[in-house]
Amino acid sequence: MKHVLLAAALSVLSVQAIVAQKAITLDDALGMTLSDNPAVEALRYEEEAAHRERQAAIGLRMPKINITGAYTYMGKDIGFDFNNLKTDANNAVTGIITSGIQQGIISPEMVPTIQGLLAPMMGADWSFSIQNRSFGFVGGEVTVPIWLGGKINTASRAARLNESSVRESGRQTRNALISELVERYFGLALAKQAAEVRRQVVDGMRKHLEDAQSLERNGMLARSELLYVEYKMAEAERELADAELQVRTISDALNNTLGKRDGEYTPVTEMFIPENMESVDYFRQMAADRSPILSQVSLKRDLAGENVRLQRSAFFPQVVAMGGASLYNYQVTNILPRWAVGVGVSFKIFDGLNREYKYSAAKQTLHRVEALQEKAENDIAVLVEKLYNQMLNQRNRLRSLEASAAFAEEYLAAKNKAFLEGMSPSADLIDAELNLAKVRTERLQAAYEFDVALARLLEAAGASDEFGSYARRADARKISFNE
């Protein structure tokens, strides 16, 4: 019963392992990376933010309309009080009447009449208010920039350049992700094959150990040779465990690039080497035309030029048109106008040489970026040549390893036959088997290094999206372990 349960449990685990491993082609992995990787999602937000910034710069040309409202309660009304002048006024009137009587201009009988006429005025309150202590209003204001010394045009161009720079930065990041995917995708394929080789070595060593034990029992093999086989068996098992651990590590790294957290993916696209590659000059020209790094440097140079224009605009006057109107009033004096329009001019005469130094600093920054642009162009050209030569080296290495693999196969067959006939020690057979596995693995390693170098070359040239087309080319020779 225990054996039945154990078999059932092993069957379930085997099914789960098969389900967990998902076959994935390189093209599918590329599509998954460029859609699900968190870095790509972050790029989308960054590009959208830059687009919004450019739209905000367009708004600098538009009128600015503000609605404001306020309510105020003051300590007292605003007005004038002339009551303290009544005494002086009354004395002045009395003096005039007396003088008029003395000169015969006014008869004494008219004095009561005149005083009667002046009495209401002299008895009145000689104070009046022009603004109540409590008042409020709602008003609108419009400001239209007419000329700001070129600042608006500069800001608009700088926003467009920044949006383009962010777009090129995103393209660079996507290219780097493709190179990372190629490295981890084929790296996992290589690690799985290496683990399989180690597994085959362990199986072969187990058979050799059984043969050696049989020969030792029949007195045809020395005890020391049996111990050597056992030592190599233990070493092979340790290397297999290391290889399986490497598979898990690279598998987790591939999942991270794909933007996935569950399951184990099995690469099914074989590594390849195109027979005919374009010249290094082809890739140099491609890099000069399409490299996102060079594009970013060029855009930064243009941005530095716009900053020079921005700092220069501080030397010019600024002209704006403005207007305002009161939309609603509460106890606001009628003395104040209900609307007004005008044109404002601002011109800075002296600010402690702040403008001069900023303008000079902007020009120095422009010269610095121009120098960096030249260096970047040289660096990219050198990088392209370096990666191209690495590809050629790996292709040449592959051809040499293929000749070595053919010899290693024949040598292993001869040693195996000699061992079974008792004509060769087990150490020679083990060494021959390990040598064949080593040569086959190095052959795959060379193909892996070639594909990684090609991915990085296309990244430097700004053409990482063409990597899949190289894999599908008619002259792209597929490289597998047993071929």
Short mmCIF file of all heavy atoms in Angstrom, two decimals, residues 282-292 294 380-381 384 460-462:
data_model
loop_
_atom_site.label_atom_id
_atom_site.label_comp_id
_atom_site.label_asym_id
_atom_site.label_seq_id
_atom_site.Cartn_x
_atom_site.Cartn_y
_atom_site.Cartn_z
N TYR A 282 28.52 48.95 -41.58
CA TYR A 282 27.06 48.97 -41.63
C TYR A 282 26.49 49.29 -40.25
O TYR A 282 25.58 50.11 -40.10
CB TYR A 282 26.55 47.62 -42.12
CG TYR A 282 25.07 47.41 -41.99
CD1 TYR A 282 24.19 47.92 -42.94
CD2 TYR A 282 24.54 46.71 -40.90
CE1 TYR A 282 22.82 47.72 -42.82
CE2 TYR A 282 23.17 46.52 -40.78
CZ TYR A 282 22.32 47.02 -41.74
OH TYR A 282 20.97 46.84 -41.61
N PHE A 283 27.05 48.64 -39.23
CA PHE A 283 26.56 48.87 -37.88
C PHE A 283 27.01 50.23 -37.34
O PHE A 283 26.29 50.85 -36.55
CB PHE A 283 27.04 47.75 -36.96
CG PHE A 283 26.40 46.43 -37.25
CD1 PHE A 283 27.08 45.45 -37.96
CD2 PHE A 283 25.11 46.16 -36.83
CE1 PHE A 283 26.49 44.22 -38.24
CE2 PHE A 283 24.51 44.94 -37.10
CZ PHE A 283 25.20 43.97 -37.82
N ARG A 284 28.18 50.70 -37.76
CA ARG A 284 28.60 52.03 -37.35
C ARG A 284 27.64 53.09 -37.88
O ARG A 284 27.24 54.01 -37.15
CB ARG A 284 30.01 52.32 -37.88
CG ARG A 284 31.14 51.69 -37.09
CD ARG A 284 32.43 52.43 -37.35
NE ARG A 284 33.60 51.69 -36.89
CZ ARG A 284 34.40 50.99 -37.68
NH1 ARG A 284 34.16 50.94 -38.99
NH2 ARG A 284 35.45 50.36 -37.20
N GLN A 285 27.27 52.96 -39.13
CA GLN A 285 26.34 53.93 -39.72
C GLN A 285 24.97 53.83 -39.07
O GLN A 285 24.30 54.84 -38.83
CB GLN A 285 26.24 53.70 -41.23
CG GLN A 285 25.41 54.75 -41.96
CD GLN A 285 25.98 56.14 -41.80
OE1 GLN A 285 27.18 56.36 -41.94
NE2 GLN A 285 25.12 57.11 -41.49
N MET A 286 24.55 52.60 -38.79
CA MET A 286 23.27 52.41 -38.11
C MET A 286 23.28 53.09 -36.75
O MET A 286 22.30 53.74 -36.35
CB MET A 286 22.96 50.92 -37.97
CG MET A 286 21.61 50.63 -37.32
SD MET A 286 21.35 48.86 -37.02
CE MET A 286 21.22 48.28 -38.73
N ALA A 287 24.37 52.94 -36.02
CA ALA A 287 24.48 53.57 -34.71
C ALA A 287 24.45 55.09 -34.83
O ALA A 287 23.81 55.78 -34.01
CB ALA A 287 25.76 53.12 -34.01
N ALA A 288 25.14 55.62 -35.83
CA ALA A 288 25.15 57.08 -36.01
C ALA A 288 23.75 57.61 -36.31
O ALA A 288 23.41 58.72 -35.92
CB ALA A 288 26.12 57.45 -37.14
N ASP A 289 22.94 56.80 -36.99
CA ASP A 289 21.60 57.24 -37.38
C ASP A 289 20.53 56.95 -36.34
O ASP A 289 19.57 57.71 -36.21
CB ASP A 289 21.19 56.58 -38.71
CG ASP A 289 22.09 56.98 -39.86
OD1 ASP A 289 22.70 58.07 -39.77
OD2 ASP A 289 22.19 56.22 -40.84
N ARG A 290 20.71 55.85 -35.56
CA ARG A 290 19.59 55.37 -34.76
C ARG A 290 19.90 55.22 -33.27
O ARG A 290 18.99 54.89 -32.50
CB ARG A 290 19.10 54.02 -35.31
CG ARG A 290 18.62 54.10 -36.74
CD ARG A 290 18.29 52.72 -37.31
NE ARG A 290 17.31 52.01 -36.52
CZ ARG A 290 16.84 50.81 -36.84
NH1 ARG A 290 17.27 50.20 -37.92
NH2 ARG A 290 15.93 50.22 -36.07
N SER A 291 21.13 55.41 -32.87
CA SER A 291 21.46 55.19 -31.46
C SER A 291 20.67 56.14 -30.56
O SER A 291 20.76 57.36 -30.70
CB SER A 291 22.96 55.39 -31.22
OG SER A 291 23.24 55.38 -29.84
N PRO A 292 19.90 55.62 -29.60
CA PRO A 292 19.17 56.51 -28.69
C PRO A 292 20.09 57.31 -27.79
O PRO A 292 19.74 58.40 -27.36
CB PRO A 292 18.28 55.55 -27.89
CG PRO A 292 18.94 54.23 -28.00
CD PRO A 292 19.63 54.21 -29.34
N LEU A 294 23.05 58.62 -28.69
CA LEU A 294 23.47 59.79 -29.47
C LEU A 294 22.31 60.76 -29.67
O LEU A 294 22.51 61.97 -29.66
CB LEU A 294 24.03 59.34 -30.82
CG LEU A 294 25.31 58.49 -30.77
CD1 LEU A 294 25.79 58.16 -32.18
CD2 LEU A 294 26.40 59.19 -29.98
N ILE A 380 30.58 55.32 -29.01
CA ILE A 380 29.65 54.40 -29.65
C ILE A 380 30.33 53.68 -30.82
O ILE A 380 30.15 52.46 -31.00
CB ILE A 380 28.39 55.14 -30.14
CG1 ILE A 380 27.54 55.59 -28.94
CG2 ILE A 380 27.55 54.25 -31.06
CD1 ILE A 380 26.96 54.47 -28.13
N ALA A 381 31.12 54.40 -31.60
CA ALA A 381 31.83 53.77 -32.72
C ALA A 381 32.79 52.69 -32.22
O ALA A 381 32.88 51.60 -32.79
CB ALA A 381 32.59 54.83 -33.52
N VAL A 384 30.75 49.66 -30.94
CA VAL A 384 30.24 48.86 -32.05
C VAL A 384 31.33 47.94 -32.59
O VAL A 384 31.11 46.74 -32.83
CB VAL A 384 29.69 49.77 -33.16
CG1 VAL A 384 29.46 49.00 -34.45
CG2 VAL A 384 28.38 50.42 -32.71
N ALA A 460 23.56 48.89 -29.11
CA ALA A 460 24.42 50.05 -29.33
C ALA A 460 24.05 50.78 -30.61
O ALA A 460 24.18 52.00 -30.70
CB ALA A 460 25.88 49.61 -29.37
N ALA A 461 23.57 50.01 -31.61
CA ALA A 461 23.19 50.62 -32.89
C ALA A 461 21.76 51.14 -32.88
O ALA A 461 21.31 51.73 -33.87
CB ALA A 461 23.36 49.60 -34.02
N GLY A 462 21.04 50.94 -31.78
CA GLY A 462 19.66 51.42 -31.71
C GLY A 462 18.69 50.59 -32.51
O GLY A 462 17.65 51.09 -32.94
#
